[in-house]
Amino acid sequence: MKELIYILSKTNITDKIQIISTIVTAIGIIVSFIISIITLRQNNKFKREETRANIICYIEHISKTSNSYIVIKNLGNSVGKVLRVTLDKNIDLNKILGINSKKYKNIFQRENYILAPNQKISSWYNFIDHDVEDFTVTIEYETLGKNIKKVFY
């Protein structure tokens, strides 16, 4: 350190200005490099969130009848794999389901199926005649290598 101070004291003013400007330029380059890396990481994260599947659940009512559909739909921009859909209440879905076939699987009995962007799957239920009130649907799905769990009330 003493040698550096001695060398700087013996140099003329133009050399000192050049050394200081070189140091300031190097610091600026390092700071701008760090900022660009942080920005690229944030952009990558936003792009991943923007392009992933967004699978939701909602009830669609048919106004002319008492029929309702529980709908699972992918509103995202990428394919999503629905791992499972569950209800929080013990509702006998076969009693309110309009189909008596044992081969038919409603959306709560199906697992590991793919939904493309804007694709939906639904099951018909007659909630009005069977006195079913509030319930919670939980959807577990995979998109872009990430497992997501959503709860709908």
Side-chain angles (χ1 to χ4, degrees):
M1 187 68 160
K2 290 180 184 178
E3 295 170 356
L4 182 61
I5 294 172
Y6 177 75
I7 292 172
L8 287 176
S9 66
K10 296 293 181 186
T11 57
N12 61 22
I13 191 76
T14 57
D15 291 339
K16 288 179 186 178
I17 292 173
Q18 286 179 345
I19 291 171
I20 291 172
S21 67
T22 303
I23 292 171
V24 169
T25 303
I27 291 171
I29 290 171
I30 292 170
V31 168
S32 65
F33 180 72
I34 292 171
I35 289 172
S36 65
I37 288 176
I38 291 170
T39 304
L40 287 173
R41 286 185 180 172
Q42 286 177 338
N43 286 345
N44 190 22
K45 182 179 177 183
F46 291 136
K47 187 163 183 120
R48 232 181 299 126
E49 285 296 317
E50 182 181 292
T51 59
R52 72 175 179 83
N54 182 21
I55 298 178
I56 64 162
C57 176
Y58 60 93
I59 296 177
E60 191 172 77
H61 297 285
I62 307 299
S63 60
K64 294 181 181 179
T65 66
S66 62
N67 296 346
S68 297
Y69 292 87
I70 294 182
V71 180
I72 307 296
K73 185 173 183 176
N74 182 0
L75 296 178
N77 296 321
S78 149
V79 172
K81 180 179 181 181
V82 178
L83 304 174
R84 73 189 55 78
V85 180
T86 56
L87 277 172
D88 71 334
K89 291 186 177 181
N90 191 12
I91 300 171
D92 187 0
L93 296 173
N94 291 324
K95 286 185 179 177
I96 59 176
L97 184 63
I99 298 173
N100 293 327
S101 173
K102 292 183 180 182
K103 292 180 182 178
Y104 177 80
K105 289 186 177 183
N106 64 52
I107 59 175
F108 299 104
Q109 296 167 327
R110 297 178 185 200
E111 291 184 347
N112 299 318
Y113 55 91
I114 302 292
L115 287 178
N118 292 316
Q119 184 180 14
K120 69 179 180 179
I121 184 171
S122 60
S123 288
W124 172 78
Y125 296 99
N126 186 346
F127 292 113
I128 296 172
D129 293 343
H130 291 87
D131 195 31
V132 176
E133 294 186 14
D134 295 336
F135 57 90
T136 303
V137 176
T138 303
I139 301 175
E140 296 177 53
Y141 65 96
E142 179 183 332
T143 179
L144 300 176
K146 183 179 177 185
N147 287 350
I148 298 174
K149 183 176 183 178
K150 286 186 177 179
V151 179
F152 299 90
Y153 301 97

